[in-house]
Amino acid sequence: MSEKLIVEVSDHIMTITFNRPEMYNPLDPESYFQLAQAMYRLQHDDELRVAVVQANGKHFSSGLELDKWAPIFANGEYPDMPPEHLDPYGNKGEVLTKPVIMAVQGICYTSGLELLLNTDIRIATPEARFAQLEVQRGIYPCGGGTVRLPREIGWSNAQRYILTGDEFSAQQALDWGMVQELVERDQLHEHARSIAKKIAKAAPLGVQAALRSAKTCRVHGQEAALKTLFTDLPKVMKSQDAQEGIRSFIERREAKFTGK
């Protein structure tokens, strides 16, 4: 992968770093498909348990690099996912069932915000700013913003900012529950990784089953989720990790999970 997007793996954690700080980390088509490749790897590599998405520089992302995307938008179609790619916006194809943590500083606009809306744990710096600017560019939020932002911050709050393209603050995002914590810039990446380490130490089958159940409820509703609540139960409860979890509790020691 190019240096536009840095992917690092250690201790069962994938770290994805946007690395075009001089341009406020815009997402061009090349970066988008590289991100989709990384998400596919996260989903299908049994050694990987959680991901952190972050960015170098003063800002997280200014959004799509529109001049590079214009020929694609002109077709009026969402990009097809090639083999071994997974849409990071969760709008098409396979659904990611491993946790993603997002750490945001500075501006997080358009596609950056839509990426955040498809992650599971979000932290931001106090000065972070968010916006869906698309209507100011003659388009609309086609990365899922119109679907997920109302669910995250409430219908009227979402329309206030989607229909104007105005910014809203990190404190507003925290008050609405769109982000869970505000962290100072010099602690942001390390704090995100500390959360990832806790998830990576947990039983992978249990984490993935819990996230899959929660996503089923979020997408298909409570009734559908309750019908499938115990789909993963036999695999999880009969796993070696479940036995290890019980043994470690009895022996008063830290569990060591293998994902089996």
Side-chain angles (χ1 to χ4, degrees), residues 4-20:
K4 293 179 182 179
L5 197 77
I6 301 171
V7 178
E8 301 167 297
V9 171
S10 65
D11 301 324
H12 304 294
I13 300 168
M14 172 181 280
T15 303
I16 302 168
T17 306
F18 293 166
N19 190 40
R20 303 174 74 191

Side-chain angles (χ1 to χ4, degrees), residues 61-77:
S61 178
S62 57
L64 296 180
E65 193 170 359
L66 284 179
D67 56 339
K68 300 291 187 358
W69 281 94
I72 297 172
F73 284 161
N75 292 331
E77 296 181 1

Side-chain angles (χ1 to χ4, degrees), residues 87-109:
D87 178 22
Y89 296 95
N91 294 330
K92 198 171 186 178
E94 185 177 14
V95 175
L96 183 66
T97 57
K98 292 184 182 177
V100 177
I101 301 163
M102 192 153 150
V104 174
Q105 77 276 10
I107 61 173
C108 180
Y109 288 169

Side-chain angles (χ1 to χ4, degrees), residues 5 20 32 42 82 85 193 221 227-228 230 239:
L5 197 77
R20 303 174 74 191
Y32 168 77
L42 172 66
H85 287 64
R193 188 165 182 83
K227 287 181 179 179
T228 61
F230 299 112
S239 67

Side-chain angles (χ1 to χ4, degrees), residues 20-32:
R20 303 174 74 191
E22 73 285 352
M23 298 181 66
Y24 298 172
N25 296 309
L27 198 65
D28 62 7
E30 179 187 8
S31 302
Y32 168 77

